[in-house]
Amino acid sequence: MARISFLWLELTGFCQLECDHCYAGSGPSGTHGSMTRADWLRVIDQAAAAGVGMVQFIGGEPTLHPDLRELIAHALAAGLEVEVFTNLVHVTAPLWEMFTRPGVSLATSYYSDDPDQHAQVTRRPSHARTRANIAAALRRGIPLRAGVIDMGGDQRATQAQTELVDLGVPAVGYDRLRQVGRGVRDQAPSTDQLCGNCGDGVAAISPDGAVWPCVFSRWLPVGNVLEHELTEILDSPAADAVRAELAAAFAGRAPSACKPDCAPKNQPCNPDCTPSCNPHCQPTCSPRCSPTCDPVRCKPNSCWPRY
């Protein structure tokens, strides 16, 4: 039987932002899809029975889903760890209470220390709210990690990482633009855009019930939880074929190396790159956790999938 330890639950395509590189193409016109509350509760139970240890609620913006609190509580009761990947633009008092429960952590994305540049990415004035709620989460003692997505050009990605460190964020990550969804620029979505862990102990479920190897590999559905049990899908010939395809693609990659200011040239990527050094690593070195990351909070396969 295929074993998974980490499951993305993409609750919604609805988001108050409209980031111009969003892998899911989420935005104000997005919907919660075909999955009902009962469907998500059933999937959480199936995940727990299958040995999943951690679920991540993601979107779109999961805090905009009306059933998020109940789904978090249900996952915790099932013995699962929970991470909510949110833009932290708006958090209600009841959600703050839920986020402070043992077993719950938060993750967010950040783009620049400059509010105008940050807004250019999110297409809405969002920097102040996200920054304030990062600080609010830390004051409440909520485990939090944040990742900077580097779009290239004159983006102040390094300064954004420094700002997060100065705020006290204990886990600061870095990733490049992934050309999936609205992130497509000059390439089609392909395995070249994936980090290399997709389908390896992880899976994702969409708002319409589609099961993918991860939230980025949306062109590789292996089944639908509205039609079949999760374990049945993960053990299916379709899933086996996709895992084999991904394994072959990742095995053909050259060993990653960091530039001299991050690690000796042509040596394996240094996992201890500091936040100010991470942007100089080659794209295949990311996504990953930062050196300050608590290994309990930052799971090996929990890369930075939210744009």
Side-chain angles (χ1 to χ4, degrees):
M1 183 175 73
R3 299 288 182 182
I4 58 171
S5 59
F6 182 87
L7 189 64
W8 288 277
L9 303 180
E10 188 174 302
L11 297 181
T12 181
F14 180 47
C15 185
Q16 66 272 71
L17 306 181
E18 198 172 7
C19 300
D20 64 5
H21 58 305
C22 177
Y23 70 91
S26 301
S29 62
T31 73
H32 299 322
S34 306
M35 292 283 285
T36 65
R37 176 178 60 183
D39 292 326
W40 284 118
L41 292 173
R42 174 174 48 82
V43 164
I44 290 170
D45 288 338
Q46 291 175 9
V52 171
M54 184 177 193
V55 293
Q56 182 191 88
F57 293 107
I58 193 169
E61 175 48 40
T63 62
L64 298 179
H65 193 283
D67 301 317
L68 177 61
R69 290 172 63 212
E70 180 178 353
L71 296 178
I72 293 174
H74 191 78
L76 292 174
L80 300 171
E81 292 183 65
V82 171
E83 182 175 72
V84 180
F85 215 128
T86 167
N87 56 35
L88 287 176
V89 168
H90 179 68
V91 182
T92 64
L95 279 176
W96 277 127
E97 187 278 328
M98 182 61 70
F99 293 163
T100 59
R101 294 193 181 185
V104 179
S105 60
L106 299 179
T108 194
S109 289
Y110 210 63
Y111 305 103
S112 176
D113 65 332
D114 179 80
D116 291 336
Q117 193 176 74
H118 197 279
Q120 289 174 8
V121 176
T122 64
R123 300 184 183 178
R124 302 289 189 281
S126 56
H127 179 269
R129 291 184 180 182
T130 296
R131 190 183 190 281
N133 282 326
I134 286 174
L138 295 172
R139 285 197 305 272
R140 288 173 165 84
I142 300 171
L144 171 70
R145 65 190 180 104
V148 174
I149 311 301
D150 192 345
M151 307 277 289
D154 62 353
Q155 182 182 337
R156 293 173 57 86
T158 298
Q159 291 87 342
Q161 287 186 298
T162 299
E163 182 174 39
L164 291 170
V165 171
D166 291 343
L167 283 170
V169 178
V172 178
Y174 170 84
D175 196 14
R176 63 179 172 88
L177 168 70
R178 303 275 168 177
Q179 296 205 36
V180 179
R182 278 201 298 269
V184 171
R185 299 295 188 265
D186 57 359
Q187 301 177 37
S190 71
T191 56
D192 292 340
Q193 303 304 317
L194 305 179
C195 71
N197 292 319
C198 306
D200 182 11
V202 300
I205 300 175
S206 82
D208 291 319
V211 180
W212 305 309
C214 75
V215 287
F216 286 120
S217 54
R218 311 170 81 82
W219 69 94
L220 294 171
V222 297
N224 193 296
V225 294
L226 293 175
E227 301 169 358
H228 301 283
E229 295 277 323
L230 179 61
T231 53
E232 181 182 351
I233 292 169
L234 296 175
D235 289 334
S236 68
D240 288 341
V242 168
R243 281 192 290 265
E245 176 185 344
L246 291 172
F250 300 150
R253 290 182 176 178
S256 59
C258 292
K259 292 185 178 180
D261 56 352
C262 194
K265 190 174 183 180
N266 297 324
Q267 296 298 310
C269 181
N270 178 7
D272 295 323
C273 294
T274 64
S276 63
C277 184
N278 277 346
H280 301 294
C281 285
Q282 297 290 354
T284 50
C285 295
S286 297
R288 67 177 178 283
C289 301
S290 78
T292 56
C293 182
D294 182 337
V296 174
R297 297 178 190 168
C298 216
K299 304 302 178 183
N301 290 320
S302 58
C303 53
W304 307 92
R306 173 162 182 86
Y307 279 30

